[in-house]
Amino acid sequence: MIELINVNKHFRLKKDGFSVLNNINVTFKKGKFYAVMGPSGSGKSTLLQLIGLLDNKFSGTIKIDGQDINELSENKISNLRKDKIGFVFQSFFLNANMKAYENVMIPLYINQNIRKSDRKKYAIDVLRKLGLEKRFEHYPKQSSGGEQQRVAIARALINKPDIIIADEPTGSLDKENEKIILEILKELSLNGICVIVASHNNLIKQYADKIIYLKNGMKGEK
């Protein structure tokens, strides 16, 4: 699904620079749950940005479905990101002036494969699968943190991606909601999605098929 070969990420400053990722080699497969762990500053978020095609300044090779992204145009990379990848973040990034189903519909505005008349139905179907039957018409401030994160996950799923990338998705939640969110992400992996989660939360070890540890930009795994 995703393959990183000798990937390095270096930030240049005016006088010098520093490396965030050093010689990363890792493969991510469909239907697996991956946890990316490590101390703050170890490169977790940077790794996810590269995998998610949000950053194209690196050395080495990244392949998605066998396609070397270094050989693709910006337009093809954008389409790959739109069609293949869903994102979930610690901050839910929900529009406060939109109802739950409206927030979930946002990615559909650039998906030409779904008719305008079907968008609300698609959004409600995904929200229902995540147990939010009673929240369709609610604004973010009317929902708990865990419910808002489930809305964010629904938004990530609406285009039926093959890959879900989540950066500290439980970082602002209580223990009960941490478990609910991790169980949802695990279920997605069991249904064939490649799920990659960066987290400080040791609870994630109970759900991950593989744990990738980063320290000083270098990798180990279990």
Short mmCIF file of all heavy atoms in Angstrom, two decimals, residues 167-221:
data_model
loop_
_atom_site.label_atom_id
_atom_site.label_comp_id
_atom_site.label_asym_id
_atom_site.label_seq_id
_atom_site.Cartn_x
_atom_site.Cartn_y
_atom_site.Cartn_z
N ASP A 167 -3.33 11.86 13.49
CA ASP A 167 -2.25 12.44 14.29
C ASP A 167 -2.78 12.80 15.67
O ASP A 167 -3.55 13.75 15.82
CB ASP A 167 -1.70 13.68 13.58
CG ASP A 167 -0.36 14.14 14.15
OD1 ASP A 167 0.10 13.53 15.14
OD2 ASP A 167 0.22 15.09 13.62
N GLU A 168 -2.41 12.03 16.67
CA GLU A 168 -2.86 12.21 18.06
C GLU A 168 -4.39 12.36 18.15
O GLU A 168 -4.90 13.33 18.75
CB GLU A 168 -2.18 13.44 18.68
CG GLU A 168 -0.67 13.34 18.77
CD GLU A 168 -0.19 12.38 19.85
OE1 GLU A 168 -1.04 11.85 20.61
OE2 GLU A 168 1.02 12.14 19.92
N PRO A 169 -5.15 11.42 17.58
CA PRO A 169 -6.61 11.59 17.54
C PRO A 169 -7.30 11.52 18.90
O PRO A 169 -8.45 11.93 19.02
CB PRO A 169 -7.06 10.44 16.64
CG PRO A 169 -6.02 9.38 16.85
CD PRO A 169 -4.73 10.14 16.99
N THR A 170 -6.60 10.99 19.91
CA THR A 170 -7.21 10.89 21.24
C THR A 170 -6.56 11.86 22.23
O THR A 170 -6.85 11.81 23.42
CB THR A 170 -7.10 9.46 21.80
OG1 THR A 170 -5.71 9.13 22.00
CG2 THR A 170 -7.72 8.45 20.84
N GLY A 171 -5.70 12.74 21.74
CA GLY A 171 -4.90 13.59 22.62
C GLY A 171 -5.70 14.52 23.51
O GLY A 171 -5.23 14.89 24.59
N SER A 172 -6.91 14.91 23.09
CA SER A 172 -7.70 15.84 23.88
C SER A 172 -8.95 15.19 24.48
O SER A 172 -9.87 15.87 24.89
CB SER A 172 -8.11 17.04 23.01
OG SER A 172 -8.84 16.61 21.89
N LEU A 173 -8.96 13.84 24.52
CA LEU A 173 -10.14 13.12 24.98
C LEU A 173 -9.91 12.45 26.33
O LEU A 173 -8.78 12.16 26.71
CB LEU A 173 -10.54 12.05 23.94
CG LEU A 173 -10.80 12.54 22.52
CD1 LEU A 173 -11.17 11.37 21.63
CD2 LEU A 173 -11.90 13.60 22.50
N ASP A 174 -11.01 12.16 27.03
CA ASP A 174 -10.90 11.41 28.28
C ASP A 174 -10.72 9.92 27.96
O ASP A 174 -10.80 9.49 26.80
CB ASP A 174 -12.14 11.63 29.16
CG ASP A 174 -13.43 11.23 28.47
OD1 ASP A 174 -13.44 10.27 27.67
OD2 ASP A 174 -14.47 11.88 28.72
N LYS A 175 -10.47 9.12 28.99
CA LYS A 175 -10.11 7.72 28.79
C LYS A 175 -11.23 6.92 28.11
O LYS A 175 -10.98 6.05 27.27
CB LYS A 175 -9.73 7.07 30.13
CG LYS A 175 -8.43 7.61 30.70
CD LYS A 175 -8.00 6.82 31.91
CE LYS A 175 -6.69 7.37 32.48
NZ LYS A 175 -5.59 7.31 31.50
N GLU A 176 -12.47 7.21 28.47
CA GLU A 176 -13.59 6.49 27.86
C GLU A 176 -13.65 6.75 26.36
O GLU A 176 -13.81 5.82 25.56
CB GLU A 176 -14.91 6.90 28.52
CG GLU A 176 -16.12 6.18 27.94
CD GLU A 176 -17.42 6.61 28.60
OE1 GLU A 176 -17.37 7.36 29.60
OE2 GLU A 176 -18.48 6.20 28.11
N ASN A 177 -13.50 8.01 25.98
CA ASN A 177 -13.56 8.34 24.56
C ASN A 177 -12.31 7.93 23.81
O ASN A 177 -12.37 7.64 22.61
CB ASN A 177 -13.84 9.83 24.38
CG ASN A 177 -15.31 10.16 24.55
OD1 ASN A 177 -16.15 9.70 23.78
ND2 ASN A 177 -15.64 10.94 25.58
N GLU A 178 -11.16 7.90 24.50
CA GLU A 178 -9.95 7.37 23.87
C GLU A 178 -10.20 5.95 23.38
O GLU A 178 -9.88 5.60 22.23
CB GLU A 178 -8.80 7.34 24.88
CG GLU A 178 -8.18 8.68 25.20
CD GLU A 178 -7.14 8.58 26.29
OE1 GLU A 178 -6.98 7.48 26.88
OE2 GLU A 178 -6.48 9.59 26.56
N LYS A 179 -10.80 5.15 24.24
CA LYS A 179 -11.06 3.75 23.89
C LYS A 179 -12.05 3.65 22.74
O LYS A 179 -11.87 2.85 21.81
CB LYS A 179 -11.60 3.01 25.11
CG LYS A 179 -11.79 1.52 24.89
CD LYS A 179 -12.23 0.82 26.17
CE LYS A 179 -12.41 -0.68 25.92
NZ LYS A 179 -12.89 -1.37 27.14
N ILE A 180 -13.09 4.47 22.76
CA ILE A 180 -14.10 4.44 21.68
C ILE A 180 -13.45 4.77 20.33
O ILE A 180 -13.68 4.07 19.34
CB ILE A 180 -15.23 5.45 21.98
CG1 ILE A 180 -16.08 4.96 23.17
CG2 ILE A 180 -16.11 5.65 20.75
CD1 ILE A 180 -17.07 5.99 23.67
N ILE A 181 -12.61 5.80 20.30
CA ILE A 181 -11.98 6.21 19.05
C ILE A 181 -11.02 5.14 18.55
O ILE A 181 -11.00 4.80 17.35
CB ILE A 181 -11.26 7.56 19.21
CG1 ILE A 181 -12.27 8.67 19.53
CG2 ILE A 181 -10.46 7.90 17.96
CD1 ILE A 181 -13.38 8.83 18.51
N LEU A 182 -10.22 4.57 19.44
CA LEU A 182 -9.27 3.53 19.02
C LEU A 182 -10.00 2.29 18.54
O LEU A 182 -9.56 1.61 17.60
CB LEU A 182 -8.31 3.20 20.17
CG LEU A 182 -7.30 4.30 20.51
CD1 LEU A 182 -6.51 3.93 21.76
CD2 LEU A 182 -6.36 4.56 19.33
N GLU A 183 -11.12 1.96 19.17
CA GLU A 183 -11.91 0.81 18.71
C GLU A 183 -12.48 1.05 17.31
O GLU A 183 -12.53 0.14 16.48
CB GLU A 183 -13.02 0.51 19.71
CG GLU A 183 -12.51 -0.14 20.99
CD GLU A 183 -13.59 -0.35 22.04
OE1 GLU A 183 -14.71 0.17 21.85
OE2 GLU A 183 -13.30 -1.04 23.03
N ILE A 184 -12.92 2.29 17.05
CA ILE A 184 -13.42 2.62 15.71
C ILE A 184 -12.30 2.49 14.68
O ILE A 184 -12.48 1.89 13.60
CB ILE A 184 -13.98 4.06 15.70
CG1 ILE A 184 -15.31 4.11 16.47
CG2 ILE A 184 -14.19 4.55 14.26
CD1 ILE A 184 -15.83 5.51 16.69
N LEU A 185 -11.12 3.03 14.99
CA LEU A 185 -10.00 2.94 14.06
C LEU A 185 -9.57 1.50 13.83
O LEU A 185 -9.23 1.10 12.71
CB LEU A 185 -8.83 3.78 14.57
CG LEU A 185 -9.08 5.29 14.61
CD1 LEU A 185 -7.95 6.01 15.35
CD2 LEU A 185 -9.22 5.86 13.20
N LYS A 186 -9.61 0.69 14.89
CA LYS A 186 -9.27 -0.73 14.74
C LYS A 186 -10.28 -1.43 13.84
O LYS A 186 -9.90 -2.23 12.96
CB LYS A 186 -9.25 -1.40 16.12
CG LYS A 186 -8.89 -2.89 16.07
CD LYS A 186 -7.47 -3.11 15.55
CE LYS A 186 -7.06 -4.56 15.61
NZ LYS A 186 -5.68 -4.77 15.10
N GLU A 187 -11.54 -1.14 14.01
CA GLU A 187 -12.58 -1.74 13.18
C GLU A 187 -12.38 -1.36 11.71
O GLU A 187 -12.58 -2.19 10.81
CB GLU A 187 -13.96 -1.28 13.65
CG GLU A 187 -15.12 -1.92 12.92
CD GLU A 187 -15.26 -3.41 13.21
OE1 GLU A 187 -14.75 -3.88 14.23
OE2 GLU A 187 -15.90 -4.09 12.39
N LEU A 188 -11.98 -0.14 11.46
CA LEU A 188 -11.71 0.29 10.08
C LEU A 188 -10.59 -0.54 9.47
O LEU A 188 -10.66 -0.93 8.30
CB LEU A 188 -11.35 1.77 10.05
CG LEU A 188 -12.46 2.75 10.43
CD1 LEU A 188 -11.92 4.17 10.48
CD2 LEU A 188 -13.62 2.66 9.45
N SER A 189 -9.55 -0.81 10.25
CA SER A 189 -8.45 -1.62 9.73
C SER A 189 -8.91 -3.05 9.44
O SER A 189 -8.52 -3.65 8.44
CB SER A 189 -7.26 -1.63 10.70
OG SER A 189 -7.53 -2.39 11.87
N LEU A 190 -9.78 -3.59 10.30
CA LEU A 190 -10.29 -4.94 10.09
C LEU A 190 -11.17 -5.01 8.84
O LEU A 190 -11.36 -6.09 8.27
CB LEU A 190 -11.08 -5.40 11.32
CG LEU A 190 -10.25 -5.60 12.59
CD1 LEU A 190 -11.16 -5.89 13.78
CD2 LEU A 190 -9.23 -6.72 12.41
N ASN A 191 -11.68 -3.86 8.43
CA ASN A 191 -12.50 -3.78 7.21
C ASN A 191 -11.67 -3.46 5.97
O ASN A 191 -12.23 -3.15 4.92
CB ASN A 191 -13.61 -2.75 7.38
CG ASN A 191 -14.70 -3.23 8.32
OD1 ASN A 191 -14.98 -4.43 8.40
ND2 ASN A 191 -15.31 -2.31 9.05
N GLY A 192 -10.34 -3.52 6.11
CA GLY A 192 -9.48 -3.41 4.93
C GLY A 192 -8.76 -2.10 4.74
O GLY A 192 -7.98 -1.95 3.79
N ILE A 193 -9.00 -1.12 5.61
CA ILE A 193 -8.32 0.17 5.48
C ILE A 193 -6.95 0.11 6.16
O ILE A 193 -6.79 -0.52 7.21
CB ILE A 193 -9.18 1.30 6.09
CG1 ILE A 193 -10.47 1.48 5.27
CG2 ILE A 193 -8.42 2.61 6.16
CD1 ILE A 193 -11.43 2.50 5.84
N CYS A 194 -5.98 0.76 5.56
CA CYS A 194 -4.67 0.92 6.20
C CYS A 194 -4.77 2.11 7.16
O CYS A 194 -5.00 3.24 6.72
CB CYS A 194 -3.60 1.18 5.14
SG CYS A 194 -1.97 1.54 5.81
N VAL A 195 -4.63 1.85 8.46
CA VAL A 195 -4.79 2.88 9.48
C VAL A 195 -3.43 3.16 10.12
O VAL A 195 -2.78 2.25 10.64
CB VAL A 195 -5.81 2.45 10.56
CG1 VAL A 195 -5.90 3.49 11.67
CG2 VAL A 195 -7.18 2.21 9.94
N ILE A 196 -3.01 4.43 10.08
CA ILE A 196 -1.71 4.83 10.62
C ILE A 196 -1.96 5.94 11.64
O ILE A 196 -2.47 7.00 11.29
CB ILE A 196 -0.78 5.33 9.51
CG1 ILE A 196 -0.66 4.27 8.40
CG2 ILE A 196 0.60 5.67 10.08
CD1 ILE A 196 0.01 4.78 7.14
N VAL A 197 -1.60 5.69 12.90
CA VAL A 197 -1.92 6.61 13.99
C VAL A 197 -0.66 7.00 14.74
O VAL A 197 0.07 6.13 15.23
CB VAL A 197 -2.93 5.98 14.97
CG1 VAL A 197 -3.29 6.97 16.07
CG2 VAL A 197 -4.18 5.51 14.25
N ALA A 198 -0.39 8.29 14.84
CA ALA A 198 0.68 8.78 15.70
C ALA A 198 0.09 9.07 17.07
O ALA A 198 -0.96 9.72 17.17
CB ALA A 198 1.32 10.04 15.12
N SER A 199 0.73 8.59 18.13
CA SER A 199 0.15 8.76 19.46
C SER A 199 1.21 8.63 20.55
O SER A 199 2.20 7.91 20.40
CB SER A 199 -0.94 7.70 19.68
OG SER A 199 -1.52 7.83 20.95
N HIS A 200 0.96 9.35 21.67
CA HIS A 200 1.73 9.16 22.89
C HIS A 200 1.04 8.16 23.82
O HIS A 200 1.60 7.74 24.84
CB HIS A 200 1.84 10.49 23.66
CG HIS A 200 2.79 11.47 23.05
ND1 HIS A 200 2.38 12.49 22.22
CD2 HIS A 200 4.15 11.57 23.14
CE1 HIS A 200 3.44 13.19 21.84
NE2 HIS A 200 4.51 12.66 22.38
N ASN A 201 -0.17 7.79 23.48
CA ASN A 201 -1.04 7.02 24.37
C ASN A 201 -0.69 5.53 24.34
O ASN A 201 -0.83 4.87 23.30
CB ASN A 201 -2.50 7.23 23.92
CG ASN A 201 -3.48 6.67 24.91
OD1 ASN A 201 -3.14 5.86 25.77
ND2 ASN A 201 -4.72 7.09 24.80
N ASN A 202 -0.25 4.99 25.46
CA ASN A 202 0.14 3.59 25.51
C ASN A 202 -1.03 2.63 25.27
O ASN A 202 -0.82 1.47 24.92
CB ASN A 202 0.80 3.26 26.85
CG ASN A 202 2.23 3.77 26.93
OD1 ASN A 202 2.97 3.71 25.95
ND2 ASN A 202 2.62 4.29 28.07
N LEU A 203 -2.26 3.12 25.42
CA LEU A 203 -3.42 2.27 25.16
C LEU A 203 -3.44 1.78 23.72
O LEU A 203 -3.95 0.70 23.43
CB LEU A 203 -4.71 3.06 25.46
CG LEU A 203 -6.04 2.32 25.26
CD1 LEU A 203 -6.15 1.15 26.23
CD2 LEU A 203 -7.22 3.29 25.46
N ILE A 204 -2.84 2.54 22.82
CA ILE A 204 -2.85 2.17 21.40
C ILE A 204 -2.14 0.84 21.14
O ILE A 204 -2.43 0.14 20.17
CB ILE A 204 -2.22 3.30 20.55
CG1 ILE A 204 -2.64 3.16 19.09
CG2 ILE A 204 -0.70 3.31 20.68
CD1 ILE A 204 -2.22 4.32 18.22
N LYS A 205 -1.24 0.46 22.04
CA LYS A 205 -0.51 -0.80 21.87
C LYS A 205 -1.44 -2.01 21.87
O LYS A 205 -1.11 -3.05 21.32
CB LYS A 205 0.54 -0.94 22.97
CG LYS A 205 1.64 0.11 22.91
CD LYS A 205 2.61 -0.05 24.07
CE LYS A 205 3.67 1.03 24.05
NZ LYS A 205 4.62 0.89 25.20
N GLN A 206 -2.59 -1.86 22.53
CA GLN A 206 -3.55 -2.97 22.56
C GLN A 206 -4.26 -3.16 21.23
O GLN A 206 -4.87 -4.20 20.99
CB GLN A 206 -4.60 -2.71 23.65
CG GLN A 206 -4.03 -2.59 25.06
CD GLN A 206 -5.10 -2.28 26.08
OE1 GLN A 206 -6.28 -2.59 25.90
NE2 GLN A 206 -4.71 -1.65 27.18
N TYR A 207 -4.19 -2.17 20.35
CA TYR A 207 -4.92 -2.21 19.09
C TYR A 207 -4.02 -2.37 17.87
O TYR A 207 -4.47 -2.86 16.83
CB TYR A 207 -5.75 -0.93 18.93
CG TYR A 207 -6.77 -0.74 20.01
CD1 TYR A 207 -6.45 -0.09 21.21
CD2 TYR A 207 -8.06 -1.23 19.88
CE1 TYR A 207 -7.39 0.07 22.22
CE2 TYR A 207 -9.01 -1.06 20.88
CZ TYR A 207 -8.66 -0.41 22.04
OH TYR A 207 -9.59 -0.26 23.04
N ALA A 208 -2.77 -1.95 17.98
CA ALA A 208 -1.89 -1.91 16.82
C ALA A 208 -1.40 -3.29 16.40
O ALA A 208 -1.08 -4.13 17.23
CB ALA A 208 -0.69 -1.01 17.12
N ASP A 209 -1.35 -3.50 15.09
CA ASP A 209 -0.72 -4.71 14.55
C ASP A 209 0.80 -4.56 14.53
O ASP A 209 1.52 -5.53 14.66
CB ASP A 209 -1.22 -4.96 13.12
CG ASP A 209 -2.70 -5.25 13.07
OD1 ASP A 209 -3.13 -6.24 13.70
OD2 ASP A 209 -3.44 -4.49 12.42
N LYS A 210 1.26 -3.32 14.37
CA LYS A 210 2.69 -3.06 14.39
C LYS A 210 2.92 -1.69 15.01
O LYS A 210 2.17 -0.76 14.76
CB LYS A 210 3.29 -3.10 12.98
CG LYS A 210 4.79 -2.85 12.93
CD LYS A 210 5.35 -3.00 11.54
CE LYS A 210 5.45 -4.46 11.14
NZ LYS A 210 6.16 -4.63 9.84
N ILE A 211 3.96 -1.59 15.83
CA ILE A 211 4.32 -0.32 16.46
C ILE A 211 5.64 0.14 15.88
O ILE A 211 6.64 -0.60 15.88
CB ILE A 211 4.44 -0.47 17.98
CG1 ILE A 211 3.12 -0.97 18.58
CG2 ILE A 211 4.82 0.88 18.61
CD1 ILE A 211 3.21 -1.35 20.03
N ILE A 212 5.65 1.35 15.36
CA ILE A 212 6.86 1.95 14.80
C ILE A 212 7.33 3.02 15.78
O ILE A 212 6.61 3.98 16.05
CB ILE A 212 6.58 2.56 13.42
CG1 ILE A 212 6.17 1.45 12.46
CG2 ILE A 212 7.79 3.32 12.90
CD1 ILE A 212 5.49 1.94 11.22
N TYR A 213 8.51 2.83 16.34
CA TYR A 213 9.05 3.77 17.31
C TYR A 213 10.02 4.73 16.61
O TYR A 213 10.89 4.29 15.85
CB TYR A 213 9.79 3.03 18.42
CG TYR A 213 8.90 2.26 19.35
CD1 TYR A 213 8.71 0.90 19.17
CD2 TYR A 213 8.27 2.87 20.41
CE1 TYR A 213 7.89 0.16 20.02
CE2 TYR A 213 7.44 2.16 21.28
CZ TYR A 213 7.26 0.81 21.07
OH TYR A 213 6.45 0.10 21.92
N LEU A 214 9.86 6.00 16.87
CA LEU A 214 10.79 6.99 16.36
C LEU A 214 11.52 7.65 17.52
O LEU A 214 10.91 7.99 18.53
CB LEU A 214 10.07 8.06 15.56
CG LEU A 214 9.47 7.66 14.21
CD1 LEU A 214 8.75 8.85 13.59
CD2 LEU A 214 10.52 7.11 13.27
N LYS A 215 12.80 7.82 17.36
CA LYS A 215 13.60 8.54 18.34
C LYS A 215 14.71 9.25 17.59
O LYS A 215 15.48 8.61 16.86
CB LYS A 215 14.17 7.61 19.41
CG LYS A 215 14.90 8.36 20.52
CD LYS A 215 15.37 7.42 21.63
CE LYS A 215 16.04 8.19 22.75
NZ LYS A 215 16.51 7.28 23.83
N ASN A 216 14.78 10.56 17.74
CA ASN A 216 15.77 11.37 17.03
C ASN A 216 15.70 11.11 15.53
O ASN A 216 16.73 11.06 14.83
CB ASN A 216 17.18 11.08 17.56
CG ASN A 216 17.33 11.44 19.01
OD1 ASN A 216 16.77 12.43 19.48
ND2 ASN A 216 18.10 10.64 19.75
N GLY A 217 14.46 10.89 15.03
CA GLY A 217 14.27 10.71 13.59
C GLY A 217 14.65 9.36 13.05
O GLY A 217 14.64 9.13 11.85
N MET A 218 14.96 8.43 13.97
CA MET A 218 15.35 7.08 13.52
C MET A 218 14.31 6.08 14.00
O MET A 218 13.61 6.30 14.99
CB MET A 218 16.74 6.75 14.03
CG MET A 218 17.79 7.74 13.58
SD MET A 218 19.48 7.34 14.09
CE MET A 218 19.83 5.97 13.01
N LYS A 219 14.21 4.95 13.30
CA LYS A 219 13.09 4.03 13.48
C LYS A 219 13.50 2.70 14.09
O LYS A 219 14.55 2.13 13.80
CB LYS A 219 12.45 3.76 12.10
CG LYS A 219 11.27 2.80 12.13
CD LYS A 219 10.75 2.53 10.73
CE LYS A 219 11.68 1.62 9.96
NZ LYS A 219 11.64 0.23 10.47
N GLY A 220 12.57 2.22 14.96
CA GLY A 220 12.58 0.84 15.40
C GLY A 220 11.15 0.37 15.33
O GLY A 220 10.24 1.18 15.18
N GLU A 221 10.88 -0.90 15.42
CA GLU A 221 9.48 -1.35 15.37
C GLU A 221 9.30 -2.68 16.07
O GLU A 221 10.24 -3.42 16.31
CB GLU A 221 8.99 -1.43 13.92
CG GLU A 221 9.75 -2.41 13.05
CD GLU A 221 9.25 -2.34 11.61
OE1 GLU A 221 9.36 -1.29 10.99
OE2 GLU A 221 8.74 -3.37 11.14
#
